[in-house]
Amino acid sequence: MKIYTLTGDDGTTSLSGGKRVSKDSLRVEAYGSVDELIAWTGLLRDLSSKLERKDILLYIQDQLMRCAAVLARDHGTPDEKDFPEESCLAILEKEIDKMEESLPSLRNFILPGGNVLASYCHIARCVCRRAERRVISLKHAEHVPDLLNKLLNRLSDFLFVLSRTVLYESGNQEVKWPLP
């Protein structure tokens, strides 16, 4: 089977279920942003040296693929296997709490940077926030399960705390903003 079908040459794509829509539709923008986040999360996983961290990032990719599957489906009820797990929010919160135990409290904004992995975490966080905005835009026009935007909201928090964690693990300091 060839990867190119030529059917998208007219600026449309197929949703799961076969309906053709414009490639710039709200739905395609939403699942496309989630798809980009899946790729950034894969990069974070590849750059991570800790097995436990690789495992949680792989779990996050799986939950995001489920999110994208729900978003890519034409109207109707997606299969339950497509939905992110209800427990994903609690799992992310537990991971955030565990990382925050070893971090100093934060009283300022911080500027992204400090090392490559921490910077990539910040990029992934920004992509996550964009995906969340796209899902909310779609939600204004069509039904979108609440769990999807909750997952993206919690995941952006996770990615922020992960950026701080990897920075501290590397021995680098956060740059607080505003600058002195």
Side-chain angles (χ1 to χ4, degrees):
M1 180 176 159
K2 294 183 180 185
I3 189 68
Y4 56 91
T5 62
L6 311 180
T7 57
D9 290 352
D10 64 354
T12 64
T13 190
S14 292
L15 297 176
S16 176
K19 180 181 178 185
R20 296 208 58 86
V21 297
S22 176
K23 289 183 177 182
D24 67 352
S25 74
L26 289 174
R27 184 168 292 281
V28 176
E29 281 288 335
Y31 74 70
S33 293
V34 172
D35 186 34
E36 184 181 352
L37 180 56
I38 294 165
W40 280 108
T41 305
L43 179 65
L44 298 180
R45 186 169 50 90
D46 289 343
L47 294 174
S48 295
S49 58
K50 296 187 174 196
L51 185 58
E52 183 179 339
R53 186 165 297 147
K54 286 180 178 280
D55 288 344
I56 189 64
L57 291 167
L58 183 63
Y59 172 78
I60 289 167
Q61 283 184 293
D62 176 62
Q63 298 307 299
L64 289 171
M65 284 294 290
R66 293 166 184 251
C67 184
V70 171
L71 292 168
R73 189 171 178 97
D74 192 12
H75 298 293
T77 305
D79 293 337
E80 283 189 27
K81 67 178 176 55
D82 289 343
F83 274 87
E85 297 172 358
E86 287 289 333
S87 62
C88 69
L89 300 176
I91 289 169
L92 287 174
E93 289 166 2
K94 178 182 169 199
E95 291 296 320
I96 291 168
D97 293 344
K98 187 168 40 170
M99 289 187 289
E100 283 189 320
E101 287 175 4
S102 62
L103 295 173
S105 62
L106 191 59
R107 292 183 171 82
N108 293 73
F109 288 104
I110 59 169
L111 295 175
N115 81 15
V116 172
L117 184 54
S119 295
Y120 281 139
C121 289
H122 280 289
I123 292 169
R125 174 186 55 79
C126 293
V127 171
C128 186
R129 286 292 187 200
R130 178 169 24 94
E132 182 183 15
R133 290 190 304 270
R134 296 300 183 264
V135 168
I136 290 168
S137 292
L138 178 61
K139 193 172 186 160
H140 291 307
E142 302 178 33
H143 172 73
V144 175
D146 289 337
L147 180 58
L148 276 57
N149 42 312
K150 288 179 183 179
L151 167 60
L152 293 168
N153 186 46
R154 205 71 80 254
L155 180 55
S156 66
D157 294 337
F158 169 88
L159 292 167
F160 178 75
V161 175
L162 180 60
S163 71
R164 295 189 70 214
T165 300
V166 299
L167 190 63
Y168 276 96
E169 289 172 352
S170 71
N172 292 306
Q173 298 295 312
E174 295 172 325
V175 177
K176 295 176 180 158
W177 187 88
L179 297 174

